[in-house]
Amino acid sequence: MAAGAAGERVGMADPVARAGARLHVLPARPDTVHWGYFDPALEPVLTVKSGDLVQIEALTHHAGDAPDLMMDEGIDAVYAAVQDRGPGPHLLTGPIAVEGARPGDVLEVRILSLTPRLPYGSNLAAHWGQLYADFGKERVTVFALDIGAGVAQAAFAYDWRAGLADAPGTVVEPDPAAREPALEGVQVPIRPHLGTMGVAPAVAGRTSSIPPGDHGGNIDNWRIGAGATMHYPVHVPGALLSVGDPHVSQGDGEVSGTALEASLDGLLQLVVRREKPYRVPVLEDAWHVLVHGFGDDLDEAMLAASRRTLQVLRDRWGLSRDDAYALMSVACDFTVTQVVDGRQGVHSRLAKAMFGGR
């Protein structure tokens, strides 16, 4: 089905969803992706109504790490055709406009499913990784995914030898002689999620996809997966959501440079909310609310996450400043999200059960 075409009508039991919501299909093609940036001047490739669902393809910008295993005909076509890349490295599908979304609203992105497109992914220990100075080299580890069992196991690794890995979408010619055994006997749990997703910022020109910000972007929280909902403050009319940087696993910190990068097929529901008080990117699942803060170092990121968490406690649950501050210390977990995206990230985690029916 062509991008932007509406599919079957979906009956929604959720009272927030619009009655008669439609399912749209958005494949990743040269005319539906943009590489390395958010930009409010981009024309939407799909326009939906609040409550609609979007079946979307998200391609990894690391498919070239093992093109024989991580690229198919569709991915190869995007790599060959899209040469306008940067300033960031991430391949993004979109943008998607949501009718009626306006600055001051919140775009609620419900992640209903995420499924690996191909049974392989890769990790790059990169020159921006935290311990690069200790190793003095970059290295790729390619994993085979057992989707049914929900685990990944290293297939091989090789040292990156073509200069620094800094050209978006580099394709490395397979060299069987360079591929070495790695992580033998170790299995990694698969937890598919979207490393980079966000709305267009109200800033003229291209905003790099590398640093996270109040528009979302490269937050790299492994909990942004199926069953969770991301909330983005809307900055421009239509919101203009873009989705990419798919991962199948990552630890908090993402210390070597990347996650386990792999293309994903997803199902999202987009809802415009005017009553939600979130002013910054907030993740929510059945049990927790997570608030994200960013900074040039971890001290700044921690301070931002603390102040934002205090504000969410006041806006959503009506706590006083004093009560919110006390609760943050005794019952809120603060965790390093990532240290490798230019702007570092810290997120807080609040258990919703604490508030009972409040």
Side-chain angles (χ1 to χ4, degrees), residues 133-353:
D134 295 1
F135 285 83
K137 67 175 183 178
E138 297 178 292
R139 186 171 175 85
V140 172
T141 305
V142 173
F143 289 76
L145 313 180
D146 186 333
I147 298 167
V151 296
Q153 189 160 352
F156 58 84
Y158 65 88
D159 288 345
W160 186 281
R161 302 190 185 279
L164 289 179
D166 57 2
T170 297
V171 176
V172 178
E173 188 67 28
D175 180 3
R179 294 177 171 181
E180 304 169 353
L183 286 170
E184 295 183 81
V186 177
Q187 291 187 328
V188 176
I190 292 175
R191 41 196 190 196
H193 61 281
L194 296 166
T196 302
M197 178 168 62
V199 297
V203 178
R206 295 185 176 187
T207 295
S208 173
S209 64
I210 296 175
D214 288 348
H215 66 293
N218 193 25
I219 291 178
D220 277 338
N221 188 332
W222 62 262
R223 299 159 187 84
I224 305 176
T229 298
M230 274 299 296
H231 301 85
Y232 301 102
V234 175
H235 296 263
V236 301
L240 299 181
L241 179 77
S242 295
V243 175
D245 190 23
H247 301 164
V248 289
S249 199
Q250 182 198 302
D252 286 323
E254 200 182 19
V255 294
S256 83
T258 78
L260 181 46
E261 315 276 332
S263 298
L264 297 176
D265 297 331
L267 180 63
L268 311 178
Q269 185 180 24
L270 309 184
V271 181
V272 177
R273 304 298 293 264
R274 296 206 163 101
E275 80 287 1
K276 284 204 169 181
Y278 299 141
R279 309 177 193 179
V280 297
V282 173
L283 173 64
E284 187 168 346
D285 61 22
W287 305 277
H288 298 98
V289 171
L290 294 89
V291 184
H292 297 90
F294 316 109
D296 291 336
D297 56 33
L298 286 177
D299 287 337
E300 285 189 11
M302 179 67 190
L303 183 60
S306 298
R307 287 173 171 161
R308 292 171 170 204
T309 301
L310 188 145
Q311 193 64 52
V312 167
L313 286 167
R314 298 194 69 201
D315 290 344
R316 174 163 176 171
W317 285 286
L319 301 189
S320 69
R321 283 173 55 85
D322 290 337
D323 284 352
Y325 193 30
L327 184 66
M328 286 164 55
S329 193
V330 302
C332 181
D333 295 320
F334 287 84
T335 303
V336 175
T337 318
Q338 54 74 28
V339 295
V340 294
D341 292 338
R343 298 185 75 200
Q344 299 188 358
V346 168
H347 62 269
S348 67
R349 187 172 63 168
L350 294 160
K352 293 194 286 189

